[in-house]
């Protein structure tokens, strides 16, 4: 039904079993997709362990989106080992901001730290697609992960709010640029989920508790919720969907006045 059997996916952003990208790997794998992972060298030993759990991981190569050279490294390694092979799906689940972005008031965050957050968390979507394009089949589907702080204030999310706003803008720009060749690019705006990246956000547990109390579904989403929507977007079932930001957040983003104030 999903039409993904035998398809090939690049998955960027697995760092641990808690990574949203890891759940996406499992869902893609269950649908018959062959996986090629790009990993940061600091997570190499974990990737080796995780590879044993999912035989559909056919290759994994270092990827650091901080520069053109270290991004190209992934695609060079992929094409050397798999000459002529093309992918149908690209998962961009990458986010990072230096600690200093969260340690001081936003007015005083240094340019260099802002630039790092923007490069890694937003502009890297363009960088990944630039190098991926020669290795993508027509009608490919790219999915990136964003957060609702792109459009609404969330205390402590800081510079990452700007990065997510830019990432969503890249999603629309790239969707329009690559749409004529049939390529689709969409973003999933996930509710908060406990992962390595999320552990760097001050007050994250308070956000989790608030969402569980106030989201229409009265719970937080988990990695599987995001992976399910990713699978749909990756598949031909979503063939008419591109340039969108789709909220997988238990409905929290439609609320304005928190339900909890009614208890006071
Ligand atoms: P995670 O820590 O498991 O994944 C983040 C990934 O980014 C890691 O695999 C890391 O290796 C990768 N990364 C960071 N810098 C990189 C670089 N220079 N080059 C290549 N890869 C790099 O955490 P996650 O929560 O699964 O994050 C995945 C995505 O989901 C991120 O974009 C994050 O902002 C987004 N997101 C997360 C949440 C949440 O609450 N966890 C909510 C909304 C959106």
């Amino acid at each position: 039904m999903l039409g993904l059997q035998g398809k090939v996916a690049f998955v960027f952003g697995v760092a641990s079993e808690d990574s949203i990208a890891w759940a996406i790997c499992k869902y893609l794998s269950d649908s018959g997709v062959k996986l090629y992972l790009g990993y940061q060298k600091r997570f190499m030993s974990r990737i080796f362990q995780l590879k044993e759990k999912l035989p559909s991981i056919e290759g994994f190569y270092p990827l650091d989106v901080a520069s053109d050279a270290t991004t190209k490294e992934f695609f060079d390694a992929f094409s050397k080992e798999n000459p002529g092979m093309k992918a149908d799906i690209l998962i961009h689940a990458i986010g990072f901001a230096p600690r200093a972005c969260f340690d001081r008031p936003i007015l005083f965050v240094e340019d260099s730290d802002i630039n790092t957050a923007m490069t890694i968390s937003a502009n890297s979507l363009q960088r990944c697609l630039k190098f991926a394009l020669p290795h993508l089949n027509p009608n490919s589907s790219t999915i990136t992960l964003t957060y609702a702080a792109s459009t609404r204030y969330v205390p402590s999310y800081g510079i990452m709010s700007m990065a997510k706003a830019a990432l969503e803008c890249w999603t629309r720009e790239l969707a329009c640029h690559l749409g004529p060749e049939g390529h689709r690019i969409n973003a999933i705006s996930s509710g908060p989920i406990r992962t390595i990246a999320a552990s760097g956000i001050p007050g994250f547990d308070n956000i989790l508790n608030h969402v569980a109390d106030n989201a229409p579904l009265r719970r937080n989403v988990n990695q599987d919720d995001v992976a399910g929507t990713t699978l749909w977007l990756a598949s031909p079932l979503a063939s008419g969907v591109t340039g969108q930001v789709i909220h997988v957040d238990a409905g929290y983003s439609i609320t304005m006045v928190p339900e909890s104030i009614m208890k006071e």
Side-chain angles (χ1 to χ4, degrees), residues 62 101 104 107 113 122 124 180 210 220 237:
C101 290
R104 58 183 69 181
L107 199 57
D113 292 325
S124 65
H210 175 79
N220 280 291
L237 292 180

Side-chain angles (χ1 to χ4, degrees), residues 104-122:
R104 58 183 69 181
I106 201 159
L107 199 57
F108 301 108
V109 176
E110 303 277 356
D111 271 6
S112 59
D113 292 325
I114 296 173
N115 292 342
T116 299
M118 296 299 283
T119 299
I120 307 298
S121 309

Side-chain angles (χ1 to χ4, degrees), residues 12-16 18-21 38-40 42-43 63-66 92-96 120-121 144-148 157 160 164 167 188-198 204 223:
F12 304 153
V14 175
S16 76
D18 291 332
S19 293
I20 298 171
Y39 65 92
Q40 259 186 313
R42 66 190 174 116
F43 295 121
L63 169 85
D64 187 335
V65 297
H92 175 277
I94 292 174
F96 173 76
I120 307 298
S121 309
T144 188
L145 292 174
T146 185
Y147 180 53
Y157 206 65
M160 281 303 289
K164 291 304 191 191
L167 178 68
I188 292 177
S189 186
S190 168
I193 299 175
R194 204 175 269 114
T195 61
I196 295 175
F204 188 76
Q223 289 85 342

